[in-house]
Amino acid sequence: MNTENDVMRVVVLGGSFSPPTIAHRKLLQAAMDAVQADRGIFVPAPRWYVKRKLKKNGCAQEALPDELRLEMLETMCKEDGRLSVDDCEMCRTERGFTYETLVRIQENHPGSWIYFVAGSDKLHIIPRWHRIRELMEHFTILVTKRSGETPEQLLEEHPFLAKNRDAFLIFTAPEGLESISSSAVREDLRCGGKLAKDMVTKEVWELMKKNGMVREACIERFREEYDFLSNFYPAQVEYQGLLYENTEAAFQAQKCRTDEEKTCFCGLPPNMAKKLGRQVELRDNWEEVKVGLMEEIVRAKFFQNPDLGKRLLATGEIPLVEGNTWGDTCWGVDTRTGRGENHLGRILMKIRAELAIEQG
C-alpha cells in the first residue's frame, strides 16, 4: 500500500485571478516546494462569482471574462512545466464547494495526494466549510503564513482545528508579496499608474494591454492644443466637387441621397451641420459606407491642409483616442465606461502613417 511519501503530490490554489499576479505564481511554487510537490494547479472561480465578490466594492465591471483569465493563467504556467490550470469551477452556474473541486482534481490525478492552499486569515471559517470532515480526511490544507501572522496559535486554540491538527500543514509565504494582489493591480490601473506592470508577468501585461485594461499615454481629448484633430475644427475641405468649411459638414452631407441636398451643408459651421445631418433622410447603405467615407474626408482634410498634416505628424506614435462624455462609442470612446470602437482615432492614426511615408 502506498503512503503519502510514495505518491505524486499535487498542490491546488484557487482564486478569482482577476487578473493573476506574480504573487499567485510565487505562492503556488512556494507551497509546492514546501511539500516537494510534483504539480501545482490554478483553479479560477467562475466570472459570476468574481463579479459578485467585486460588487461589494462597487467594481463588478472589473471582473475579467473567464476566457481571458484562463489565457492569462496559462501564460503564467509556461515558465514552469509543473504548473497548469483546471477550469472545473468555471462551468458552475451556482455556488460550488472546495470539497467537490478537490474530488474532481483527485479524479483527474488518481492515486495522488492533494493539498489545498488556504490563507491563515481563512482558518477561522474553515470549520464551517461544506463537508469539512471529509475534506480533512482525504486532503491536506496548506496554510500560508505571512509576516506577522501566527496560524500555529489559532490551530492550537480553536477546539475544532486543534482536534484535526493533522489535516493542516503550515508553510511560509515568500517575502515581498505583501503589496501584490489582484485588487492592487486593479486599483493602480484605475489611477492610471504604472505599478501594476511590476505585479504581473510580462505576458499577462501584454494581454492586459491587448484587451484594453491598460490606459497607455495617449491623446484622448481633441481639444485645446489638439483641437485640430476634431472634425469640428475650422478647416476647409473639398470633397467630391463641393467645398465645405469643416470635415463635420462634409461628412454629414454624405448622408444625403442627392447632390442638391449636399450643397446645403457647404457653408454650415460644424454644430449646425451635425444638427441638419440628424434631420435628413439617410441614404440606404449609410451604415455600410460611413466609416469609409469618414476616412476619405479626414484624409482630404490633412492632405489639403499641409499645416494640419504637419501638426498631425508631430503627434508621433502616440495613440489617438476621441474621448467623450456623450456616449459616442462608434467614432470615439466613452470616457465614463472606457468603451468604444474609436473609428475616428484609428482613421487619424492611419492617415498619420500615410503622411509619414509621404514625407520619407
Side-chain angles (χ1 to χ4, degrees), residues 56-81:
K56 297 176 182 178
N57 298 319
C59 50
Q61 72 281 0
E62 294 179 353
L64 302 181
D66 290 346
E67 298 77 11
L68 179 55
R69 287 184 295 133
L70 278 175
E71 187 177 4
M72 289 176 168
L73 285 167
E74 286 166 354
T75 64
M76 285 210 324
C77 293
K78 289 181 178 179
E79 292 185 13
D80 189 337

Side-chain angles (χ1 to χ4, degrees), residues 302-334:
F302 287 98
F303 276 85
Q304 292 175 17
N305 297 275
D307 57 325
L308 296 184
K310 290 179 181 178
R311 293 177 69 181
L312 177 58
L313 271 174
T315 61
E317 297 183 357
I318 298 176
L320 305 177
V321 179
E322 190 189 32
N324 65 83
T325 57
W326 50 87
D328 180 0
T329 57
C330 174
W331 302 110
V333 172
D334 187 338

Side-chain angles (χ1 to χ4, degrees), residues 37-299:
D38 305 278
R39 179 162 291 279
I41 302 177
F42 292 108
V43 180
R47 186 170 188 257
W48 63 264
Y49 173 82
V50 180
K51 288 182 68 175
R52 188 174 69 181
K53 187 176 176 181
L54 296 182
K55 187 177 181 180
K56 297 176 182 178
N57 298 319
C59 50
Q61 72 281 0
E62 294 179 353
L64 302 181
D66 290 346
E67 298 77 11
L68 179 55
R69 287 184 295 133
L70 278 175
E71 187 177 4
M72 289 176 168
L73 285 167
E74 286 166 354
T75 64
M76 285 210 324
C77 293
K78 289 181 178 179
E79 292 185 13
D80 189 337
R82 302 174 301 165
L83 305 182
S84 62
V85 187
D86 192 313
D87 64 354
C88 61
E89 289 197 352
M90 285 187 163
C91 60
R92 290 178 176 167
T93 57
E94 56 186 19
R95 182 183 177 188
F97 299 99
T98 301
Y99 177 74
E100 280 76 7
T101 295
L102 297 180
V103 168
R104 164 71 180 271
I105 291 175
Q106 181 79 80
E107 291 172 350
N108 293 337
H109 299 84
S112 299
W113 191 263
I114 310 297
Y115 299 82
F116 181 75
V117 179
S120 59
D121 59 327
K122 297 292 191 296
L123 277 177
H124 68 289
I125 65 171
I126 284 180
R128 303 198 301 270
W129 281 8
H130 176 68
R131 301 178 71 171
I132 184 58
R133 295 184 184 280
E134 293 168 273
L135 189 153
M136 292 189 300
E137 179 182 350
H138 298 288
F139 310 107
T140 299
I141 299 176
L142 272 177
V143 182
T144 306
K145 180 179 180 179
R146 295 179 172 85
S147 178
E149 296 179 338
T150 56
E152 301 93 343
Q153 183 177 347
L154 184 56
L155 286 172
E156 292 173 3
E157 295 176 351
H158 192 288
F160 180 85
L161 299 178
K163 184 178 179 180
N164 297 278
R165 182 63 177 81
D166 291 344
F168 298 88
L169 289 177
I170 298 173
F171 77 100
T172 302
E175 295 183 1
L177 305 184
E178 296 80 9
S179 61
I180 302 175
S181 66
S182 297
S183 58
V185 170
R186 295 193 303 270
E187 183 177 353
D188 186 67
L189 291 176
R190 274 184 236 122
C191 299
K194 297 300 180 183
L195 298 176
K197 185 175 182 180
D198 296 325
M199 298 186 202
V200 298
T201 65
K202 179 181 177 181
E203 294 76 16
V204 168
W205 183 252
E206 290 303 317
L207 285 171
M208 290 167 64
K209 289 169 58 179
K210 179 181 177 181
N211 286 274
M213 295 174 61
V214 179
R215 198 168 70 193
E216 296 182 278
C218 67
I219 296 171
E220 57 184 359
R221 292 177 68 85
F222 298 169
R223 296 182 179 179
E224 298 174 353
E225 64 177 310
Y226 299 115
D227 60 351
F228 69 95
L229 297 172
S230 169
N231 285 339
F232 274 42
Y233 189 79
Q236 287 190 335
V237 56
E238 182 181 351
Y239 185 69
Q240 294 186 353
L242 295 176
L243 182 64
Y244 301 90
E245 296 301 310
N246 51 80
T247 50
E248 184 67 28
F251 175 71
Q252 295 294 336
Q254 307 317 306
K255 294 180 176 180
C256 300
R257 292 173 176 268
T258 67
D259 290 339
E260 184 179 355
E261 291 177 294
K262 292 178 184 178
T263 60
C264 298
F265 288 83
C266 290
L268 293 180
N271 59 330
M272 295 300 295
K274 188 171 185 177
K275 182 178 180 180
L276 181 59
R278 294 193 181 112
Q279 301 171 10
V280 301
E281 184 178 353
L282 288 177
R283 56 194 288 180
D284 294 334
N285 61 345
W286 176 244
E287 289 302 320
E288 290 75 27
V289 301
K290 66 179 183 180
V291 174
L293 289 170
M294 178 69 84
E295 181 176 323
E296 291 179 1
I297 292 168
V298 174
R299 181 179 288 108

